[in-house]
Amino acid sequence: TYKTEVKVHNVVGSQDAATVFVESVGEPHFYTYAVVPIENKRKK
């Protein structure tokens, strides 16, 4: 439901996933990260 614009600071690869570190643009100001799974078999 909510949308916040973020700036990506770093992407770190790991086995079957990538960790993305972001900072929000504007208010509320915060830093966070997301773990994004990667499917090697389907290339997604």
Side-chain angles (χ1 to χ4, degrees):
T1 308
Y2 300 98
K3 294 184 181 182
T4 303
E5 186 176 341
V6 295
K7 180 169 59 169
V8 175
H9 282 285
N10 198 6
V11 178
V12 179
S14 61
Q15 185 175 357
D16 299 328
T19 304
V20 183
F21 296 90
V22 299
E23 174 185 4
S24 68
V25 176
E27 295 293 328
H29 187 259
F30 60 89
Y31 296 91
T32 191
Y33 68 94
V35 178
V36 181
I38 299 172
E39 295 182 25
N40 285 328
K41 291 181 182 178
R42 295 176 51 193
K43 304 290 183 198
K44 290 186 173 186

